[in-house]
Each structure stands twice: as C-alpha cells, then as structure tokens.
Amino acid sequence: MIYIKPNNDNTVTLGGTVATQEMLDSGYIQYDGVIPELTNEFQHLELVNGVLTVVEDTLASNEKIRQDAKATREEDLQAITYTLTDGSIYQVRPQDITNFELAIQLGVDTEWILEDNTVRLTTVAELQEILDVGIAKGKAIYNDYITVLKSIGV
C-alpha cells in the first residue's frame, strides 16, 4: 500500500506508505495495487482506470536518442583514418577531404602530414585510395545515423 496524489495531467505523485493529514487534505489517496518500476528517465506513472501505469515520453526519449546518435556520428567522423600497407596512418576526417581533393587535382606526389604528425611523401594514387576509403567510411557513418533517425520516426 502506498499513498499517491493524482495530478491534473494524469500523472501521479508518490507519497510513501504513511500519509499525514496535510497529505490527505492536499489530495493524496491510498493505492493498494502493484507499483510498476520506472526503468529510464523518460518514464512516469499515470493513474489509468485506477491502475498505476508506466508511460514513456517518446518525444523526449527520441530526442535523447537523436542527440546521442548525432554525438556518436560526429565522434566517428573525426576518428576516420586509413592505414597504408607500410603502417602510415592518414586522417580522413570531413575537414581533410578538400585537402585530399586539391592534392589529387594537382596531380603530383606530395608530402603529407600523417596522424602522428610525421611527414610522408604520398603518391597521387595513394591519396586517391585514401580519399575513396575515407569517403566510404564517412558514408557508412552517415547511413548508421540515418538508420537511427528512421528507427525513431524522424
């Protein structure tokens, strides 16, 4: 048994197993049914036909999912790298794409700053390979993000 206070918006306020006169005067009632457990921050209890029921705020929940997915997308995009067979690691983040495209358009081998800030002479063919793989990884990251958005109806 617990005391609850039904609110105007169908939600309830839990009051505990002992009620003061002040609580009773303010609208708390005795509830003898099962008290369901809330499993996340987007759930609340409502009194539906005399039964406490868990209701999920799907808008807030979906917004949290979207924000988390967006943060993951941004982190993943910033972590895109490609490793050549010699172990050289190139960053292929969105902000690096233009540099790759310009270097490829110039058509000459160029010294490239690697992830560890060392410099390596890189051929145009290698730059193109690195760019192609980096773009594919970026597209996969965006596709994962789109899948999450679709799953929440955005």
Side-chain angles (χ1 to χ4, degrees), residues 77-143:
L77 287 171
Q78 293 306 311
I80 296 175
T81 60
Y82 182 72
T83 305
L84 290 178
T85 55
D86 69 357
S88 300
I89 301 173
Y90 291 75
Q91 293 174 303
V92 198
R93 304 162 301 182
Q95 64 265 32
D96 300 317
I97 299 298
T98 301
N99 292 337
F100 278 99
E101 291 171 338
L102 290 173
I104 292 166
Q105 286 177 6
L106 289 174
V108 294
D109 298 349
T110 187
E111 291 193 334
W112 203 265
I113 301 171
L114 305 178
E115 182 186 51
D116 65 359
N117 289 318
T118 59
V119 177
R120 178 186 183 276
L121 183 62
T122 307
T123 67
V124 173
E126 289 171 328
L127 291 172
Q128 187 65 60
E129 175 185 343
I130 295 161
L131 178 61
D132 291 345
V133 172
I135 288 174
K137 287 180 177 182
K139 285 180 180 178
I141 291 166
Y142 271 100
N143 286 339

Side-chain angles (χ1 to χ4, degrees), residues 28-29 34 43 51 79 114 125 149:
Y28 279 86
I29 59 171
V34 174
Q43 295 177 336
V51 177
L114 305 178
L149 294 180

